Amino acid sequence: MLKVKAGDLDKMGLLFERYHRPLFAFLYHMTGQAHACEDLVQNVFYRMLKYRHTFNGDGEFRTWMYHLARNILNDSFRQQERWGGRAYDIADLSDRLGGGVAADEQLEKEQELDALQNAMARLSPDHREVLVLSRYQELKYEEIARILNITEGAVKVRVHRALGELKKNFLTSEKGSKAHEL
């Protein structure tokens, strides 16, 4: 990024190739909307170019990138709320499942993934964000603390509370789906 900041804009393509998938995954886990995430990723890279002068190289590039992504996500949520609220789509997860699994096992796995996705969607935005960064993006607590501008201890507390809330959401959705099946 320092080379991009210095004017070597060709290096932006390398950054895109390296980071667009993890960035898309972060945004997807936060919104549940694949098509919207493609636009959000483009917006993040646009802002990287626009605000390249703000990257000073003191911290890690990923921290700066996720900070920009969070700002874009917040802007997007504010804009959607102005136009009638957010709608989370539960993506069809069947394409992620491996072949060769018996139909009933595949259906059960799809239902569990759907329940987990629903449980994630019901988390507070702060809890969902910290779980996506720590579990899906596999960032260290120290990096998450810099991204969120909080202490590492606060990150640990949020992760612990988020996992508890996720477990509660998942178990209540599992009970509801079991009762619905009967």
Side-chain angles (χ1 to χ4, degrees):
M1 187 64 203
L2 289 174
K3 290 182 180 180
V4 171
K5 182 180 177 178
D8 188 1
L9 299 182
D10 292 336
K11 298 295 182 197
M12 196 66 189
L14 179 63
L15 288 174
F16 181 81
E17 287 300 316
R18 190 174 292 164
Y19 292 105
H20 80 277
R21 282 191 178 104
L23 193 55
F24 178 88
F26 166 71
L27 294 167
Y28 178 76
H29 288 297
M30 292 301 294
T31 65
Q33 300 174 350
H35 293 292
C37 291
E38 293 170 5
D39 293 336
L40 293 173
V41 167
Q42 294 298 324
N43 287 339
V44 171
F45 282 95
Y46 170 74
R47 284 201 189 168
M48 281 183 201
L49 276 174
K50 185 176 179 180
Y51 297 110
R52 64 184 178 265
H53 65 278
T54 65
F55 181 74
N56 57 20
D58 289 342
E60 203 174 312
F61 169 73
R62 287 190 324 170
T63 303
W64 184 72
M65 177 185 74
Y66 283 116
H67 184 74
L68 288 176
R70 289 181 72 234
N71 289 342
I72 287 173
L73 196 57
N74 289 334
D75 292 348
S76 174
F77 285 158
R78 267 189 248 115
Q79 186 178 25
Q80 285 178 357
E81 287 172 355
R82 242 182 279 144
W83 294 101
R86 295 183 270 192
Y88 289 109
D89 298 331
I90 302 300
D92 178 19
L93 298 172
S94 62
D95 59 335
R96 294 185 183 181
L97 297 174
V101 178
D104 57 338
E105 290 176 2
Q106 183 173 354
L107 180 62
E108 187 175 317
K109 188 169 186 171
E110 285 176 5
Q111 289 172 342
E112 286 178 4
L113 287 173
D114 190 39
L116 180 61
Q117 194 73 3
N118 284 329
M120 282 289 289
R122 291 194 330 242
L123 288 175
S124 68
D126 288 343
H127 285 168
R128 185 172 46 252
E129 181 177 48
V130 77
L131 283 182
V132 168
L133 289 171
S134 66
R135 299 302 192 250
Y136 290 105
Q137 299 300 310
E138 299 177 354
L139 296 179
K140 296 176 182 166
Y141 289 163
E142 179 184 335
E143 288 178 285
I144 296 169
R146 285 195 307 262
I147 291 168
L148 302 179
N149 201 24
I150 59 176
T151 66
E152 192 173 337
V155 171
K156 291 176 183 179
V157 169
R158 280 191 192 178
V159 167
H160 178 74
R161 289 179 179 165
L163 287 172
E165 185 181 346
L166 180 64
K167 181 179 177 181
K168 185 182 92 182
N169 289 349
F170 183 77
L171 292 176
T172 57
S173 68
E174 278 290 297
K175 287 178 186 175
S177 66
K178 299 267 191 236
H180 183 68
E181 289 173 5
L182 299 175

